[in-house]
Amino acid sequence: MTCDRLVCANCAGPVSEGRCSVCRAHRERLHRENGPFSLGSLSPTALAALLLTLIAVALLARQAAV
């Protein structure tokens, strides 16, 4: 989730602008939870591609071991 479309209940401004302390705190929490290595930030397509890549690597490793 991004804070681009969120509206603050405290100041009624966009959370992404960080107009008040509530906005800034919520924006920080969102960025902390959705770091660059968070699986929640990946799209379903990206997760499927990652899974297929891992399966392909496992199959290649199995073929190389034989």
Side-chain angles (χ1 to χ4, degrees), residues 23-58:
C23 292
R24 289 187 293 274
H26 190 68
R27 185 178 58 189
E28 273 301 310
R29 186 179 61 83
L30 281 174
H31 289 292
R32 200 172 40 245
E33 287 177 359
N34 296 327
F37 301 110
S38 173
L39 289 179
S41 64
L42 293 176
S43 68
T45 306
L47 285 174
L50 179 62
L51 179 64
L52 288 175
T53 302
L54 290 174
I55 291 171
V57 169

